[in-house]
Amino acid sequence: MESHHLTFTLPSTARAVASARRQVLAGLCQWGLEPGSDLLHTIELAASELITNAVKHSHSEPVSVAVRLQGDTVRIDVCDSSPDLPKRRCPTAADENGRGLLIVMAMATQYAVEPTSTGKRCWAEFAVPRGALTTLPSSPSGAVSRTKPGGSSQEWRLPQLPGLCVTKHFPDHLNSPRTGD
C-alpha cells in the first residue's frame, strides 16, 4: 500500500489550530479517507486536541505537525517547544479543561509523549479498517475528485493557509518508528 505524508509548521495562535485541522482533513481526504466518516471525525478530534495543547504550551514558538498514512495506520505527530510533558488528570464534572488527552488516549490505537531536544512530541496512531480507503482520481489542477452515489461529485483541494509552511516529507526526527506505552 502506498505511503502518504504531510508536514507543516504553524504559529502558536488559536486561529492556527482551525487552519491546521483543515489542513489535516484535506490531506486525509486526498489520500482516500471518506469525508464525513467516523474515522475521519475521530482523527480530526484527536488532531485538534494535540495541536491545541501544543499551541497552548509552546511559549509562542511555532508548532510542527506531521501526518502519515502508511499501510493501515494514520499517525499524527505534533511537536512543540515546551519540555514539560503532559500529566494525566482526572477532571471533575465542573472542570472546563483536562479532558483532551484522555479523549485522544481513548480514541487512538496508540498514543505517547516523548521528550525531544527542542521540547516534546505528542503522537497518536489510528487503525484504518480494510476498505476504508478509496483510490481517488486527481485532476490536472491538483484537486481530488470523488463521484458520490447518484453521479454528483465533490472536489477537495489542499488549502493555501496563511502562516502554514507545508512540505512533502518528514523531518528526520519523525522518521524513526516508535511504539506506544
Side-chain angles (χ1 to χ4, degrees):
M1 182 175 277
E2 192 175 352
S3 177
H4 301 278
H5 49 270
L6 170 71
T7 63
F8 56 92
T9 302
L10 62 140
S12 56
T13 64
R15 187 174 181 180
V17 174
S19 295
R21 186 175 55 246
R22 286 190 300 273
Q23 184 86 4
V24 169
L25 284 175
L28 292 171
C29 287
Q30 184 178 26
W31 302 338
L33 266 71
E34 182 69 38
S37 67
D38 288 343
L39 178 60
L40 193 62
H41 288 304
T42 297
I43 296 170
E44 175 188 17
L45 177 58
S48 185
E49 292 294 340
L50 293 174
I51 295 166
T52 297
N53 284 347
V55 164
K56 182 177 178 181
H57 299 288
S58 68
H59 309 294
S60 300
E61 295 292 322
V63 170
S64 67
V65 178
V67 184
R68 177 174 26 201
L69 170 61
Q70 187 161 11
D72 62 354
T73 303
V74 170
R75 178 176 166 132
I76 300 173
D77 290 81
V78 180
C79 298
D80 68 56
S81 61
S82 173
D84 300 329
L85 302 181
K87 293 176 178 55
R88 189 178 302 195
R89 296 177 49 193
C90 294
T92 67
D95 288 336
E96 293 182 13
N97 297 307
R99 292 175 183 81
L101 292 179
L102 294 173
I103 291 169
V104 173
M105 288 188 285
M107 294 185 308
T109 53
Q110 291 189 72
Y111 163 79
V113 179
E114 304 162 339
T116 65
S117 61
T118 58
K120 69 178 167 294
R121 173 187 306 106
C122 296
W123 61 266
E125 290 184 349
F126 302 87
V128 178
R130 182 178 294 278
L133 293 173
T134 57
T135 304
L136 301 175
S138 185
S139 72
S141 68
V144 175
S145 304
R146 178 188 305 271
T147 302
K148 298 193 290 186
S152 63
S153 65
Q154 286 180 296
E155 189 170 278
W156 300 274
R157 185 181 310 277
L158 282 175
Q160 298 299 315
L161 302 171
L164 295 182
C165 174
V166 179
T167 60
K168 296 186 180 199
H169 65 278
F170 269 120
D172 289 340
H173 68 279
L174 296 178
N175 278 330
S176 59
R178 291 170 178 56
T179 58
D181 295 339

